[in-house]
PDB file of all heavy atoms in Angstrom:
ATOM      1  N   TRP O   1      21.833   4.416   3.029  1.00 79.00           N
ATOM      2  CA  TRP O   1      22.675   5.597   3.043  1.00 79.00           C
ATOM      3  C   TRP O   1      22.241   6.508   4.139  1.00 79.00           C
ATOM      4  O   TRP O   1      23.022   7.374   4.470  1.00 79.00           O
ATOM      5  CB  TRP O   1      22.577   6.317   1.674  1.00 79.00           C
ATOM      6  CG  TRP O   1      23.139   5.578   0.514  1.00 79.00           C
ATOM      7  CD1 TRP O   1      23.691   4.260   0.591  1.00 79.00           C
ATOM      8  CD2 TRP O   1      23.102   5.890  -0.912  1.00 79.00           C
ATOM      9  NE1 TRP O   1      23.999   3.942  -0.759  1.00 79.00           N
ATOM     10  CE2 TRP O   1      23.681   4.839  -1.636  1.00 79.00           C
ATOM     11  CE3 TRP O   1      22.641   7.010  -1.587  1.00 79.00           C
ATOM     12  CZ2 TRP O   1      23.760   4.914  -3.029  1.00 79.00           C
ATOM     13  CZ3 TRP O   1      22.670   7.049  -2.978  1.00 79.00           C
ATOM     14  CH2 TRP O   1      23.284   5.955  -3.714  1.00 79.00           C
ATOM     15  N   GLN O   2      20.936   6.461   4.483  1.00 79.00           N
ATOM     16  CA  GLN O   2      20.477   7.209   5.732  1.00 79.00           C
ATOM     17  C   GLN O   2      20.605   8.737   5.445  1.00 79.00           C
ATOM     18  O   GLN O   2      20.989   9.421   6.285  1.00 79.00           O
ATOM     19  CB  GLN O   2      21.148   6.846   6.957  1.00 79.00           C
ATOM     20  CG  GLN O   2      20.908   5.366   7.262  1.00 79.00           C
ATOM     21  CD  GLN O   2      21.505   4.812   8.598  1.00 79.00           C
ATOM     22  OE1 GLN O   2      22.364   5.508   9.107  1.00 79.00           O
ATOM     23  NE2 GLN O   2      21.014   3.833   9.252  1.00 79.00           N
ATOM     24  N   TRP O   3      20.240   9.054   4.197  1.00 81.00           N
ATOM     25  CA  TRP O   3      20.106  10.520   3.993  1.00 81.00           C
ATOM     26  C   TRP O   3      19.047  11.148   4.925  1.00 81.00           C
ATOM     27  O   TRP O   3      18.019  10.367   5.126  1.00 81.00           O
ATOM     28  CB  TRP O   3      19.789  10.809   2.525  1.00 81.00           C
ATOM     29  CG  TRP O   3      20.955  10.642   1.485  1.00 81.00           C
ATOM     30  CD1 TRP O   3      22.128   9.981   1.878  1.00 81.00           C
ATOM     31  CD2 TRP O   3      20.922  10.944   0.118  1.00 81.00           C
ATOM     32  NE1 TRP O   3      22.829   9.903   0.657  1.00 81.00           N
ATOM     33  CE2 TRP O   3      22.140  10.571  -0.390  1.00 81.00           C
ATOM     34  CE3 TRP O   3      20.055  11.653  -0.653  1.00 81.00           C
ATOM     35  CZ2 TRP O   3      22.556  10.721  -1.645  1.00 81.00           C
ATOM     36  CZ3 TRP O   3      20.289  11.852  -1.961  1.00 81.00           C
ATOM     37  CH2 TRP O   3      21.572  11.392  -2.489  1.00 81.00           C
ATOM     38  N   ASN O   4      19.019  12.333   5.125  1.00 81.00           N
ATOM     39  CA  ASN O   4      17.993  12.929   5.843  1.00 81.00           C
ATOM     40  C   ASN O   4      16.674  13.074   5.080  1.00 81.00           C
ATOM     41  O   ASN O   4      16.703  13.060   3.791  1.00 81.00           O
ATOM     42  CB  ASN O   4      18.300  14.370   6.482  1.00 81.00           C
ATOM     43  CG  ASN O   4      18.699  15.397   5.375  1.00 81.00           C
ATOM     44  OD1 ASN O   4      17.987  15.500   4.409  1.00 81.00           O
ATOM     45  ND2 ASN O   4      19.899  15.911   5.497  1.00 81.00           N
ATOM     46  N   LYS O   5      15.452  13.161   5.609  1.00 81.00           N
ATOM     47  CA  LYS O   5      14.250  13.070   4.960  1.00 81.00           C
ATOM     48  C   LYS O   5      14.066  14.182   3.889  1.00 81.00           C
ATOM     49  O   LYS O   5      13.729  13.856   2.775  1.00 81.00           O
ATOM     50  CB  LYS O   5      13.115  13.096   6.048  1.00 81.00           C
ATOM     51  CG  LYS O   5      12.729  11.783   6.478  1.00 81.00           C
ATOM     52  CD  LYS O   5      11.285  11.838   7.120  1.00 81.00           C
ATOM     53  CE  LYS O   5      10.813  10.416   7.464  1.00 81.00           C
ATOM     54  NZ  LYS O   5       9.527  10.413   8.184  1.00 81.00           N
ATOM     55  N   PRO O   6      14.354  15.423   4.216  1.00 85.00           N
ATOM     56  CA  PRO O   6      14.167  16.508   3.193  1.00 85.00           C
ATOM     57  C   PRO O   6      14.931  16.173   1.890  1.00 85.00           C
ATOM     58  O   PRO O   6      14.462  16.316   0.762  1.00 85.00           O
ATOM     59  CB  PRO O   6      14.650  17.692   3.747  1.00 85.00           C
ATOM     60  CG  PRO O   6      14.491  17.477   5.242  1.00 85.00           C
ATOM     61  CD  PRO O   6      14.727  15.998   5.498  1.00 85.00           C
ATOM     62  N   THR O   7      16.215  15.760   2.012  1.00 82.00           N
ATOM     63  CA  THR O   7      17.052  15.508   0.944  1.00 82.00           C
ATOM     64  C   THR O   7      16.568  14.277   0.058  1.00 82.00           C
ATOM     65  O   THR O   7      16.506  14.334  -1.218  1.00 82.00           O
ATOM     66  CB  THR O   7      18.569  15.238   1.364  1.00 82.00           C
ATOM     67  OG1 THR O   7      18.965  16.320   2.225  1.00 82.00           O
ATOM     68  CG2 THR O   7      19.497  15.039   0.119  1.00 82.00           C
ATOM     69  N   SER O   8      16.204  13.257   0.769  1.00 82.00           N
ATOM     70  CA  SER O   8      15.753  11.957   0.089  1.00 82.00           C
ATOM     71  C   SER O   8      14.431  12.271  -0.632  1.00 82.00           C
ATOM     72  O   SER O   8      14.146  11.663  -1.608  1.00 82.00           O
ATOM     73  CB  SER O   8      15.779  10.796   1.033  1.00 82.00           C
ATOM     74  OG  SER O   8      14.989  11.098   2.184  1.00 82.00           O
ATOM     75  N   ILE O   9      13.474  12.991   0.032  1.00 86.00           N
ATOM     76  CA  ILE O   9      12.183  13.256  -0.553  1.00 86.00           C
ATOM     77  C   ILE O   9      12.329  14.213  -1.631  1.00 86.00           C
ATOM     78  O   ILE O   9      11.651  14.027  -2.737  1.00 86.00           O
ATOM     79  CB  ILE O   9      11.301  13.815   0.467  1.00 86.00           C
ATOM     80  CG1 ILE O   9      10.860  12.759   1.485  1.00 86.00           C
ATOM     81  CG2 ILE O   9      10.066  14.529  -0.117  1.00 86.00           C
ATOM     82  CD1 ILE O   9      10.171  13.138   2.647  1.00 86.00           C
ATOM     83  N   THR O  10      13.348  15.155  -1.713  1.00 86.00           N
ATOM     84  CA  THR O  10      13.550  16.030  -2.878  1.00 86.00           C
ATOM     85  C   THR O  10      14.045  15.141  -4.035  1.00 86.00           C
ATOM     86  O   THR O  10      13.613  15.324  -5.166  1.00 86.00           O
ATOM     87  CB  THR O  10      14.642  17.038  -2.436  1.00 86.00           C
ATOM     88  OG1 THR O  10      14.171  17.814  -1.294  1.00 86.00           O
ATOM     89  CG2 THR O  10      14.996  17.886  -3.697  1.00 86.00           C
ATOM     90  N   PHE O  11      14.932  14.198  -3.811  1.00 84.00           N
ATOM     91  CA  PHE O  11      15.377  13.279  -4.738  1.00 84.00           C
ATOM     92  C   PHE O  11      14.194  12.560  -5.513  1.00 84.00           C
ATOM     93  O   PHE O  11      14.073  12.496  -6.726  1.00 84.00           O
ATOM     94  CB  PHE O  11      16.364  12.246  -4.304  1.00 84.00           C
ATOM     95  CG  PHE O  11      16.726  11.061  -5.329  1.00 84.00           C
ATOM     96  CD1 PHE O  11      17.799  11.280  -6.129  1.00 84.00           C
ATOM     97  CD2 PHE O  11      15.954   9.903  -5.125  1.00 84.00           C
ATOM     98  CE1 PHE O  11      18.063  10.147  -6.975  1.00 84.00           C
ATOM     99  CE2 PHE O  11      16.360   8.970  -6.092  1.00 84.00           C
ATOM    100  CZ  PHE O  11      17.361   9.074  -7.015  1.00 84.00           C
ATOM    101  N   LEU O  12      13.355  11.861  -4.640  1.00 85.00           N
ATOM    102  CA  LEU O  12      12.319  11.166  -5.085  1.00 85.00           C
ATOM    103  C   LEU O  12      11.238  12.019  -5.822  1.00 85.00           C
ATOM    104  O   LEU O  12      11.022  11.586  -7.000  1.00 85.00           O
ATOM    105  CB  LEU O  12      11.485  10.537  -3.922  1.00 85.00           C
ATOM    106  CG  LEU O  12      10.350   9.717  -4.219  1.00 85.00           C
ATOM    107  CD1 LEU O  12      10.619   8.436  -5.032  1.00 85.00           C
ATOM    108  CD2 LEU O  12       9.522   9.308  -2.953  1.00 85.00           C
ATOM    109  N   SER O  13      10.910  13.108  -5.312  1.00 88.00           N
ATOM    110  CA  SER O  13       9.799  13.914  -5.822  1.00 88.00           C
ATOM    111  C   SER O  13      10.281  14.539  -7.281  1.00 88.00           C
ATOM    112  O   SER O  13       9.584  14.469  -8.304  1.00 88.00           O
ATOM    113  CB  SER O  13       9.327  15.059  -4.998  1.00 88.00           C
ATOM    114  OG  SER O  13      10.421  15.736  -4.583  1.00 88.00           O
ATOM    115  N   THR O  14      11.609  14.947  -7.353  1.00 88.00           N
ATOM    116  CA  THR O  14      12.258  15.571  -8.533  1.00 88.00           C
ATOM    117  C   THR O  14      12.184  14.618  -9.708  1.00 88.00           C
ATOM    118  O   THR O  14      11.549  14.974 -10.803  1.00 88.00           O
ATOM    119  CB  THR O  14      13.532  16.058  -8.368  1.00 88.00           C
ATOM    120  OG1 THR O  14      13.601  17.072  -7.265  1.00 88.00           O
ATOM    121  CG2 THR O  14      14.046  16.706  -9.566  1.00 88.00           C
ATOM    122  N   PHE O  15      12.746  13.449  -9.494  1.00 89.00           N
ATOM    123  CA  PHE O  15      12.829  12.460 -10.607  1.00 89.00           C
ATOM    124  C   PHE O  15      11.551  11.728 -10.858  1.00 89.00           C
ATOM    125  O   PHE O  15      11.222  11.295 -11.990  1.00 89.00           O
ATOM    126  CB  PHE O  15      14.028  11.569 -10.308  1.00 89.00           C
ATOM    127  CG  PHE O  15      15.299  12.272 -10.452  1.00 89.00           C
ATOM    128  CD1 PHE O  15      16.100  12.342  -9.268  1.00 89.00           C
ATOM    129  CD2 PHE O  15      15.846  12.718 -11.519  1.00 89.00           C
ATOM    130  CE1 PHE O  15      17.335  13.055  -9.361  1.00 89.00           C
ATOM    131  CE2 PHE O  15      17.022  13.507 -11.671  1.00 89.00           C
ATOM    132  CZ  PHE O  15      17.745  13.633 -10.486  1.00 89.00           C
ATOM    133  N   LEU O  16      10.729  11.517  -9.725  1.00 90.00           N
ATOM    134  CA  LEU O  16       9.436  10.820 -10.073  1.00 90.00           C
ATOM    135  C   LEU O  16       8.511  11.681 -10.743  1.00 90.00           C
ATOM    136  O   LEU O  16       7.705  11.164 -11.636  1.00 90.00           O
ATOM    137  CB  LEU O  16       8.885  10.464  -8.608  1.00 90.00           C
ATOM    138  CG  LEU O  16       7.809   9.397  -8.576  1.00 90.00           C
ATOM    139  CD1 LEU O  16       8.410   8.064  -9.176  1.00 90.00           C
ATOM    140  CD2 LEU O  16       7.259   9.059  -7.224  1.00 90.00           C
ATOM    141  N   ILE O  17       8.494  13.002 -10.599  1.00 91.00           N
ATOM    142  CA  ILE O  17       7.687  13.973 -11.422  1.00 91.00           C
ATOM    143  C   ILE O  17       8.063  13.828 -12.850  1.00 91.00           C
ATOM    144  O   ILE O  17       7.222  13.763 -13.726  1.00 91.00           O
ATOM    145  CB  ILE O  17       7.770  15.242 -10.824  1.00 91.00           C
ATOM    146  CG1 ILE O  17       7.049  15.530  -9.514  1.00 91.00           C
ATOM    147  CG2 ILE O  17       7.232  16.371 -11.916  1.00 91.00           C
ATOM    148  CD1 ILE O  17       7.308  16.783  -8.779  1.00 91.00           C
ATOM    149  N   ILE O  18       9.408  13.833 -13.146  1.00 89.00           N
ATOM    150  CA  ILE O  18       9.861  13.672 -14.528  1.00 89.00           C
ATOM    151  C   ILE O  18       9.443  12.400 -15.225  1.00 89.00           C
ATOM    152  O   ILE O  18       8.929  12.327 -16.210  1.00 89.00           O
ATOM    153  CB  ILE O  18      11.422  13.890 -14.620  1.00 89.00           C
ATOM    154  CG1 ILE O  18      11.812  15.370 -14.164  1.00 89.00           C
ATOM    155  CG2 ILE O  18      11.919  13.722 -16.008  1.00 89.00           C
ATOM    156  CD1 ILE O  18      13.379  15.455 -13.959  1.00 89.00           C
ATOM    157  N   ASP O  19       9.597  11.228 -14.407  1.00 89.00           N
ATOM    158  CA  ASP O  19       9.368   9.985 -14.916  1.00 89.00           C
ATOM    159  C   ASP O  19       7.839   9.809 -15.076  1.00 89.00           C
ATOM    160  O   ASP O  19       7.431   9.314 -16.171  1.00 89.00           O
ATOM    161  CB  ASP O  19       9.793   8.861 -13.880  1.00 89.00           C
ATOM    162  CG  ASP O  19      11.329   8.787 -13.803  1.00 89.00           C
ATOM    163  OD1 ASP O  19      12.031   9.251 -14.668  1.00 89.00           O
ATOM    164  OD2 ASP O  19      11.751   8.283 -12.704  1.00 89.00           O
ATOM    165  N   LEU O  20       7.040  10.318 -14.195  1.00 90.00           N
ATOM    166  CA  LEU O  20       5.547  10.228 -14.366  1.00 90.00           C
ATOM    167  C   LEU O  20       5.055  11.111 -15.543  1.00 90.00           C
ATOM    168  O   LEU O  20       4.054  10.678 -16.257  1.00 90.00           O
ATOM    169  CB  LEU O  20       4.803  10.646 -13.078  1.00 90.00           C
ATOM    170  CG  LEU O  20       4.933   9.677 -11.977  1.00 90.00           C
ATOM    171  CD1 LEU O  20       4.455  10.228 -10.602  1.00 90.00           C
ATOM    172  CD2 LEU O  20       4.148   8.390 -12.274  1.00 90.00           C
ATOM    173  N   LEU O  21       5.778  12.178 -15.717  1.00 89.00           N
ATOM    174  CA  LEU O  21       5.357  13.039 -16.957  1.00 89.00           C
ATOM    175  C   LEU O  21       5.541  12.269 -18.204  1.00 89.00           C
ATOM    176  O   LEU O  21       4.729  12.240 -19.066  1.00 89.00           O
ATOM    177  CB  LEU O  21       6.118  14.239 -16.912  1.00 89.00           C
ATOM    178  CG  LEU O  21       6.103  15.122 -18.222  1.00 89.00           C
ATOM    179  CD1 LEU O  21       4.648  15.723 -18.295  1.00 89.00           C
ATOM    180  CD2 LEU O  21       7.037  16.352 -18.110  1.00 89.00           C
ATOM    181  N   PHE O  22       6.791  11.612 -18.347  1.00 87.00           N
ATOM    182  CA  PHE O  22       7.041  10.723 -19.459  1.00 87.00           C
ATOM    183  C   PHE O  22       6.115   9.531 -19.599  1.00 87.00           C
ATOM    184  O   PHE O  22       5.588   9.257 -20.684  1.00 87.00           O
ATOM    185  CB  PHE O  22       8.474  10.272 -19.467  1.00 87.00           C
ATOM    186  CG  PHE O  22       9.487  11.361 -19.911  1.00 87.00           C
ATOM    187  CD1 PHE O  22      10.592  11.732 -19.120  1.00 87.00           C
ATOM    188  CD2 PHE O  22       9.347  12.064 -21.239  1.00 87.00           C
ATOM    189  CE1 PHE O  22      11.521  12.532 -19.453  1.00 87.00           C
ATOM    190  CE2 PHE O  22      10.357  12.931 -21.596  1.00 87.00           C
ATOM    191  CZ  PHE O  22      11.461  13.235 -20.732  1.00 87.00           C
ATOM    192  N   LEU O  23       5.863   8.922 -18.513  1.00 87.00           N
ATOM    193  CA  LEU O  23       4.941   7.743 -18.512  1.00 87.00           C
ATOM    194  C   LEU O  23       3.615   8.130 -19.027  1.00 87.00           C
ATOM    195  O   LEU O  23       2.944   7.491 -19.821  1.00 87.00           O
ATOM    196  CB  LEU O  23       4.934   7.091 -17.189  1.00 87.00           C
ATOM    197  CG  LEU O  23       3.995   5.827 -17.056  1.00 87.00           C
ATOM    198  CD1 LEU O  23       4.534   4.731 -17.912  1.00 87.00           C
ATOM    199  CD2 LEU O  23       3.948   5.353 -15.603  1.00 87.00           C
ATOM    200  N   SER O  24       3.022   9.176 -18.400  1.00 88.00           N
ATOM    201  CA  SER O  24       1.614   9.659 -18.715  1.00 88.00           C
ATOM    202  C   SER O  24       1.557  10.100 -20.094  1.00 88.00           C
ATOM    203  O   SER O  24       0.464   9.770 -20.813  1.00 88.00           O
ATOM    204  CB  SER O  24       1.225  10.775 -17.689  1.00 88.00           C
ATOM    205  OG  SER O  24       2.081  11.773 -17.695  1.00 88.00           O
ATOM    206  N   SER O  25       2.579  10.716 -20.722  1.00 87.00           N
ATOM    207  CA  SER O  25       2.494  11.127 -22.049  1.00 87.00           C
ATOM    208  C   SER O  25       2.544   9.932 -22.956  1.00 87.00           C
ATOM    209  O   SER O  25       1.925   9.863 -24.109  1.00 87.00           O
ATOM    210  CB  SER O  25       3.628  12.168 -22.324  1.00 87.00           C
ATOM    211  OG  SER O  25       4.873  11.518 -22.176  1.00 87.00           O
ATOM    212  N   ASN O  26       3.353   8.930 -22.557  1.00 84.00           N
ATOM    213  CA  ASN O  26       3.505   7.751 -23.338  1.00 84.00           C
ATOM    214  C   ASN O  26       2.230   6.896 -23.301  1.00 84.00           C
ATOM    215  O   ASN O  26       1.958   6.048 -24.091  1.00 84.00           O
ATOM    216  CB  ASN O  26       4.641   6.948 -22.991  1.00 84.00           C
ATOM    217  CG  ASN O  26       5.910   7.324 -23.603  1.00 84.00           C
ATOM    218  OD1 ASN O  26       6.245   6.952 -24.801  1.00 84.00           O
ATOM    219  ND2 ASN O  26       6.779   8.222 -22.987  1.00 84.00           N
ATOM    220  N   SER O  27       1.407   7.075 -22.084  1.00 85.00           N
ATOM    221  CA  SER O  27       0.256   6.230 -21.982  1.00 85.00           C
ATOM    222  C   SER O  27      -0.784   6.513 -23.211  1.00 85.00           C
ATOM    223  O   SER O  27      -1.636   5.684 -23.316  1.00 85.00           O
ATOM    224  CB  SER O  27      -0.340   6.524 -20.619  1.00 85.00           C
ATOM    225  OG  SER O  27      -0.894   7.806 -20.465  1.00 85.00           O
ATOM    226  N   LEU O  28      -0.653   7.683 -23.746  1.00 82.00           N
ATOM    227  CA  LEU O  28      -1.516   7.969 -24.846  1.00 82.00           C
ATOM    228  C   LEU O  28      -1.313   7.193 -26.045  1.00 82.00           C
ATOM    229  O   LEU O  28      -2.000   7.063 -26.988  1.00 82.00           O
ATOM    230  CB  LEU O  28      -1.414   9.575 -25.148  1.00 82.00           C
ATOM    231  CG  LEU O  28      -1.731  10.472 -23.952  1.00 82.00           C
ATOM    232  CD1 LEU O  28      -1.457  11.909 -24.392  1.00 82.00           C
ATOM    233  CD2 LEU O  28      -3.243  10.398 -23.711  1.00 82.00           C
ATOM    234  N   LYS O  29      -0.083   6.571 -26.108  1.00 80.00           N
ATOM    235  CA  LYS O  29       0.174   5.722 -27.224  1.00 80.00           C
ATOM    236  C   LYS O  29      -0.445   4.271 -27.098  1.00 80.00           C
ATOM    237  O   LYS O  29      -0.283   3.415 -28.102  1.00 80.00           O
ATOM    238  CB  LYS O  29       1.784   5.472 -27.257  1.00 80.00           C
ATOM    239  CG  LYS O  29       2.459   6.785 -27.495  1.00 80.00           C
ATOM    240  CD  LYS O  29       4.021   6.436 -27.496  1.00 80.00           C
ATOM    241  CE  LYS O  29       4.924   7.554 -27.790  1.00 80.00           C
ATOM    242  NZ  LYS O  29       6.354   7.259 -27.748  1.00 80.00           N
ATOM    243  N   ILE O  30      -1.026   3.991 -25.885  1.00 81.00           N
ATOM    244  CA  ILE O  30      -1.539   2.612 -25.828  1.00 81.00           C
ATOM    245  C   ILE O  30      -2.480   2.049 -26.760  1.00 81.00           C
ATOM    246  O   ILE O  30      -2.267   0.984 -27.197  1.00 81.00           O
ATOM    247  CB  ILE O  30      -2.217   2.518 -24.244  1.00 81.00           C
ATOM    248  CG1 ILE O  30      -1.146   2.648 -23.202  1.00 81.00           C
ATOM    249  CG2 ILE O  30      -2.984   1.190 -24.096  1.00 81.00           C
ATOM    250  CD1 ILE O  30      -1.692   2.712 -21.814  1.00 81.00           C
ATOM    251  N   PRO O  31      -3.484   2.803 -27.167  1.00 82.00           N
ATOM    252  CA  PRO O  31      -4.283   2.291 -28.315  1.00 82.00           C
ATOM    253  C   PRO O  31      -3.600   2.102 -29.573  1.00 82.00           C
ATOM    254  O   PRO O  31      -4.063   1.263 -30.493  1.00 82.00           O
ATOM    255  CB  PRO O  31      -5.347   3.386 -28.499  1.00 82.00           C
ATOM    256  CG  PRO O  31      -5.247   4.239 -27.242  1.00 82.00           C
ATOM    257  CD  PRO O  31      -3.964   4.180 -26.772  1.00 82.00           C
ATOM    258  N   HIS O  32      -2.397   2.821 -29.784  1.00 79.00           N
ATOM    259  CA  HIS O  32      -1.714   2.712 -31.058  1.00 79.00           C
ATOM    260  C   HIS O  32      -0.534   1.732 -31.113  1.00 79.00           C
ATOM    261  O   HIS O  32       0.369   1.791 -31.998  1.00 79.00           O
ATOM    262  CB  HIS O  32      -1.341   4.136 -31.523  1.00 79.00           C
ATOM    263  CG  HIS O  32      -2.390   5.132 -31.503  1.00 79.00           C
ATOM    264  ND1 HIS O  32      -3.406   5.070 -32.440  1.00 79.00           N
ATOM    265  CD2 HIS O  32      -2.718   6.139 -30.671  1.00 79.00           C
ATOM    266  CE1 HIS O  32      -4.246   6.046 -32.085  1.00 79.00           C
ATOM    267  NE2 HIS O  32      -3.860   6.665 -31.050  1.00 79.00           N
ATOM    268  N   GLY O  33      -0.418   0.942 -30.134  1.00 78.00           N
ATOM    269  CA  GLY O  33       0.748   0.014 -30.061  1.00 78.00           C
ATOM    270  C   GLY O  33       1.418  -0.030 -28.643  1.00 78.00           C
ATOM    271  O   GLY O  33       2.227  -0.927 -28.395  1.00 78.00           O
ATOM    272  N   GLY O  34       1.153   0.962 -27.833  1.00 79.00           N
ATOM    273  CA  GLY O  34       1.742   0.971 -26.495  1.00 79.00           C
ATOM    274  C   GLY O  34       1.285  -0.232 -25.698  1.00 79.00           C
ATOM    275  O   GLY O  34       1.883  -0.505 -24.563  1.00 79.00           O
ATOM    276  N   TRP O  35       0.163  -0.816 -26.065  1.00 84.00           N
ATOM    277  CA  TRP O  35      -0.380  -1.909 -25.265  1.00 84.00           C
ATOM    278  C   TRP O  35       0.479  -3.086 -25.264  1.00 84.00           C
ATOM    279  O   TRP O  35       0.544  -3.979 -24.406  1.00 84.00           O
ATOM    280  CB  TRP O  35      -1.796  -2.372 -25.838  1.00 84.00           C
ATOM    281  CG  TRP O  35      -1.778  -2.622 -27.321  1.00 84.00           C
ATOM    282  CD1 TRP O  35      -2.012  -1.790 -28.299  1.00 84.00           C
ATOM    283  CD2 TRP O  35      -1.460  -3.886 -27.875  1.00 84.00           C
ATOM    284  NE1 TRP O  35      -1.888  -2.427 -29.599  1.00 84.00           N
ATOM    285  CE2 TRP O  35      -1.539  -3.632 -29.279  1.00 84.00           C
ATOM    286  CE3 TRP O  35      -1.137  -5.153 -27.389  1.00 84.00           C
ATOM    287  CZ2 TRP O  35      -1.249  -4.719 -30.269  1.00 84.00           C
ATOM    288  CZ3 TRP O  35      -0.862  -6.134 -28.313  1.00 84.00           C
ATOM    289  CH2 TRP O  35      -0.934  -5.904 -29.719  1.00 84.00           C
ATOM    290  N   LEU O  36       1.308  -3.175 -26.336  1.00 83.00           N
ATOM    291  CA  LEU O  36       2.153  -4.390 -26.635  1.00 83.00           C
ATOM    292  C   LEU O  36       3.118  -4.714 -25.449  1.00 83.00           C
ATOM    293  O   LEU O  36       3.083  -5.745 -24.816  1.00 83.00           O
ATOM    294  CB  LEU O  36       2.861  -4.400 -27.869  1.00 83.00           C
ATOM    295  CG  LEU O  36       3.665  -5.427 -28.227  1.00 83.00           C
ATOM    296  CD1 LEU O  36       2.795  -6.801 -28.568  1.00 83.00           C
ATOM    297  CD2 LEU O  36       4.650  -5.250 -29.472  1.00 83.00           C
ATOM    298  N   PRO O  37       4.044  -3.684 -25.121  1.00 84.00           N
ATOM    299  CA  PRO O  37       4.912  -3.981 -23.960  1.00 84.00           C
ATOM    300  C   PRO O  37       4.248  -4.178 -22.560  1.00 84.00           C
ATOM    301  O   PRO O  37       4.667  -4.972 -21.829  1.00 84.00           O
ATOM    302  CB  PRO O  37       5.878  -2.692 -23.880  1.00 84.00           C
ATOM    303  CG  PRO O  37       5.150  -1.755 -24.678  1.00 84.00           C
ATOM    304  CD  PRO O  37       4.278  -2.359 -25.674  1.00 84.00           C
TER     305      PRO O  37
END
């Protein structure tokens, strides 16, 4: 799509922060069953 760098990096950082927040909070479930998937 060749978006300019500021726009594409804004997209990546915004949603990656949200995804990483969910992943890191779910990582605490690993000892209680999260290890399975």
Side-chain angles (χ1 to χ4, degrees):
W1 297 355
Q2 296 181 341
W3 286 11
N4 58 52
K5 270 194 174 181
T7 307
S8 56
I9 289 172
T10 300
F11 168 88
L12 176 68
S13 55
T14 301
F15 293 112
L16 201 56
I17 288 169
I18 295 170
D19 293 338
L20 287 171
L21 174 63
F22 281 126
L23 180 66
S24 53
S25 61
N26 274 279
S27 66
L28 300 171
K29 299 178 180 179
I30 290 174
H32 309 289
W35 55 268
L36 182 68

